[in-house]
Amino acid sequence: MNNSQLVASVTDYVEAHLQERMTLDELAKQLHYSKYYLLHEFKETTRQSLYNYIKRRRLNEAAKALLYSDQKILELALEQGYQSQQAFTKAFEELFKLSPNRFRQQKKEFLIEEPFLVSDYLLWAESRDVFIRRGKLKDQEKILDFVCLMRGALPYLEQQRYLQALGSFIREGNCYLAWAKERVVGLLLFESQTEKIENFIVLPACWELEIEIKLLAKLIDEKNPQVLHTTTFRPSDKLDIGYRQRLLTIGFVPSQKLIESRYPTEKMVLSVF
């Protein structure tokens, strides 16, 4: 069994037992691998720990129920494996930056994180397969699919508002896409007036291909900005699977702590010249 098959088996097991008490011992026994090997290979492929993945899946399923059912919050908490409504609320707020009750009251359709599908997340591409171009209106569906896939990097997005904003970025020529193997694998949205980069994300399976640098190079060549800035996770945010470190590696420098859509972030600045 190769890495992708192993991760697929792990995620299949998780989905089948999502509302049950799961133990690493039982999972390792079912798949005939050591616990250490399972944890290492899962994180190597998905860029997040198995514990974090299970927690996020349960909370996203709870978010669906809050949006589309009238199930009581205590029932949801117990269903997702929490011992109390208070513990569930604390975990939910950590991810969505709203209490479950406030989340339900807003009655807005958010981009909910779906189960990890190996076929969606893994892409065997080389640097020569990657090309950068501006986004077009006809690309919106594929961009939205990519953004939904990268939901963990873009917490708390409302789908309808996002599509409206995306259309504006595209029409203004400020949407840049990275493509490989006929798939969107990277996205950069640019606000010309403020020189702010939005949605600067790359498929983790393609992190070794320097796609962020290629997107930045295209942007700088066409827009000639003086200083670029963006926002990302704060240090030690449990939801961050490596996005902050990637900005630091490129040369972005931490500047200011912010709150965006009730989410604690940090401004990062890159001097172009």
Side-chain angles (χ1 to χ4, degrees), residues 1-215:
M1 186 182 294
N2 59 35
N3 285 12
S4 60
Q5 292 173 326
L6 177 58
V7 170
S9 296
V10 171
T11 54
D12 285 346
Y13 181 90
V14 169
E15 291 305 309
H17 301 82
L18 197 58
Q19 295 182 0
E20 303 172 17
R21 182 177 179 274
M22 284 182 273
T23 68
L24 185 57
D25 287 331
E26 182 60 29
L27 176 58
K29 180 180 178 181
Q30 289 287 332
L31 299 183
H32 307 290
Y33 283 98
S34 72
K35 293 184 289 186
Y36 172 80
Y37 184 78
L38 280 179
L39 294 176
H40 178 270
E41 295 305 306
F42 188 88
K43 188 167 186 177
E44 185 74 14
T45 302
T46 67
R47 309 282 180 166
Q48 62 180 308
S49 70
L50 179 57
Y51 169 80
N52 191 51
Y53 174 76
I54 294 172
K55 179 179 179 179
R56 288 167 67 149
R57 282 292 304 121
R58 284 174 168 164
L59 289 172
N60 274 273
E61 287 302 305
K64 282 184 184 178
L66 288 168
L67 287 176
Y68 308 123
S69 80
D70 58 359
Q71 191 171 3
K72 292 182 180 179
I73 294 176
L74 177 58
E75 292 177 357
L76 279 174
L78 298 175
E79 189 176 89
Q80 300 304 332
Y82 290 89
Q83 298 301 310
S84 67
Q85 184 170 327
Q86 290 77 12
F88 169 72
T89 296
K90 180 180 178 181
F92 192 91
E93 287 181 334
E94 184 181 70
L95 179 60
F96 291 98
K97 308 310 174 189
L98 284 174
S99 69
N101 192 46
R102 287 281 305 280
F103 186 91
R104 167 173 273 167
Q105 288 175 351
Q106 288 197 359
K107 297 181 180 179
K108 295 179 179 178
E109 184 178 346
F110 296 97
L111 301 177
I112 302 296
E113 197 170 22
E114 298 294 342
F116 185 101
L117 296 179
V118 172
S119 59
D120 289 339
Y121 282 86
L122 296 188
L123 182 69
W124 311 118
E126 300 179 14
S127 184
R128 64 186 179 187
D129 298 318
V130 179
F131 71 95
I132 312 296
R133 69 163 171 81
R134 289 190 191 183
K136 304 175 183 178
L137 289 174
K138 67 179 183 180
D139 298 325
Q140 287 185 93
E141 184 176 344
K142 287 189 176 182
I143 295 173
L144 184 61
D145 288 342
F146 175 68
V147 169
C148 289
L149 192 65
M150 301 297 292
R151 165 67 176 77
L154 303 168
Y156 199 62
L157 288 179
E158 184 190 341
Q159 183 166 324
Q160 192 57 41
R161 290 181 62 186
Y162 183 81
L163 282 173
Q164 292 172 355
L166 178 61
S168 296
F169 279 109
I170 292 174
R171 284 188 290 271
E172 293 167 5
N174 290 329
C175 172
Y176 292 88
L177 300 176
W179 295 80
K181 307 277 187 180
E182 301 183 351
R183 285 182 57 184
V184 176
V185 295
L187 170 66
L188 184 158
L189 302 179
F190 179 62
E191 293 181 355
S192 298
Q193 292 184 340
T194 62
E195 295 192 328
K196 181 181 180 182
I197 293 174
E198 299 278 7
N199 295 182
F200 192 24
I201 47 175
V202 170
L203 188 71
C206 297
W207 277 2
E208 308 303 323
L209 304 181
E210 298 185 335
I211 291 175
E212 292 100 335
I213 294 175
K214 294 175 182 178
L215 285 165

